[in-house]
Amino acid sequence: MNLTFLGLCIACFGVSLAEGLIMSNLFKAYARQPEIIDQLRSLLILGVAFVEGTFFVTLAMAFIIK
């Protein structure tokens, strides 16, 4: 049971890191070319959706294994 929660904590940490990197790179790209913010916004939503989807799969597996 403790290993399940440890795996969930590691997955949550990975999600936080990934979303931070996505936002950091979004701001860098916006600083270079402000006119493409609409294209960047759609890519941001897509990237965050994939990262969150990975976390929710991990969460579901943690409850199934439990």
Side-chain angles (χ1 to χ4, degrees):
M1 184 164 146
N2 289 335
L3 289 178
T4 304
F5 292 122
L6 178 65
L8 194 56
C9 290
I10 291 171
C12 188
F13 179 71
V15 166
S16 299
L17 274 176
E19 287 182 356
L21 287 172
I22 289 171
M23 290 303 294
S24 171
N25 289 325
L26 174 82
F27 290 138
K28 287 178 186 176
Y30 177 68
R32 289 187 191 127
Q33 293 181 339
E35 64 273 0
I36 63 167
I37 190 64
D38 292 329
Q39 296 163 350
L40 293 175
R41 188 178 301 124
S42 63
L43 289 174
L44 166 76
I45 292 170
L46 185 66
V48 169
F50 280 127
V51 171
E52 289 290 330
T54 304
F55 174 71
F56 286 129
V57 168
T58 305
L59 179 66
M61 295 309 278
F63 283 119
I64 290 172
I65 291 172
K66 180 182 169 189

